[in-house]
Amino acid sequence: MSGIGTEIRVFCYAILTGVLIVAVYLWIRVLRRLVAHRLWLINLEDACYWAGISVYTFAQIYHTSDGVLRWYIGLGIALGSIGMALLSAVFVRAYKKISTRICEKRVKRVDKSD
């Protein structure tokens, strides 16, 4: 590994890895809200998630920096994870606000028609 360009590329891959870690878990949470799960199935899903994410993260580190763990890789993963979590929270908040307004307008229309 040589050059600042390579280091920046590795940092960007680390950020994307962090984003993917949170995005995959958000999809698992959506699935859990759509379909009821028993506790043992939730535990199995979480175990598979963490095993898969661990293998994926290891493979990313191995391929992008020849297996050398550098501090900025951890920082990039953390920044990507935090950024994705905050972004998803903003989207969820906006979705709830918009859907509440739409439902209130529908209720008002129904009330007026009576």
Side-chain angles (χ1 to χ4, degrees):
M1 184 183 300
S2 63
I4 190 73
T6 305
E7 306 287 329
I8 291 171
R9 182 181 57 83
V10 170
F11 183 69
C12 290
Y13 280 130
I15 290 173
L16 290 176
T17 299
V19 167
L20 182 73
I21 288 170
V22 173
V24 169
Y25 198 74
L26 289 174
W27 279 109
I28 291 172
R29 287 180 55 194
V30 167
L31 176 68
R32 288 180 186 165
R33 288 183 185 254
L34 294 175
V35 180
H37 287 71
R38 294 187 177 268
L39 183 59
W40 68 268
L41 187 56
I42 291 172
N43 290 335
L44 181 64
E45 287 172 352
D46 283 345
C48 291
Y49 166 78
W50 284 109
I53 289 300
S54 298
V55 169
Y56 175 76
T57 304
F58 176 79
Q60 281 297 103
I61 292 170
Y62 183 78
H63 290 298
T64 58
S65 64
D66 296 325
V68 178
L69 184 59
R70 302 191 186 269
W71 66 270
Y72 58 86
I73 294 174
L75 178 66
I77 292 172
L79 287 175
S81 298
I82 292 167
M84 183 63 178
L86 292 174
L87 186 64
S88 68
V90 168
F91 281 131
V92 167
R93 192 175 307 126
Y95 171 77
K96 286 181 180 179
K97 192 174 190 178
I98 291 168
S99 63
T100 302
R101 287 184 182 173
I102 290 171
C103 288
E104 287 173 354
K105 287 181 182 180
R106 287 184 182 168
V107 169
K108 287 179 184 178
R109 284 185 199 158
V110 171
D111 288 341
K112 288 181 182 179
S113 66
D114 289 339

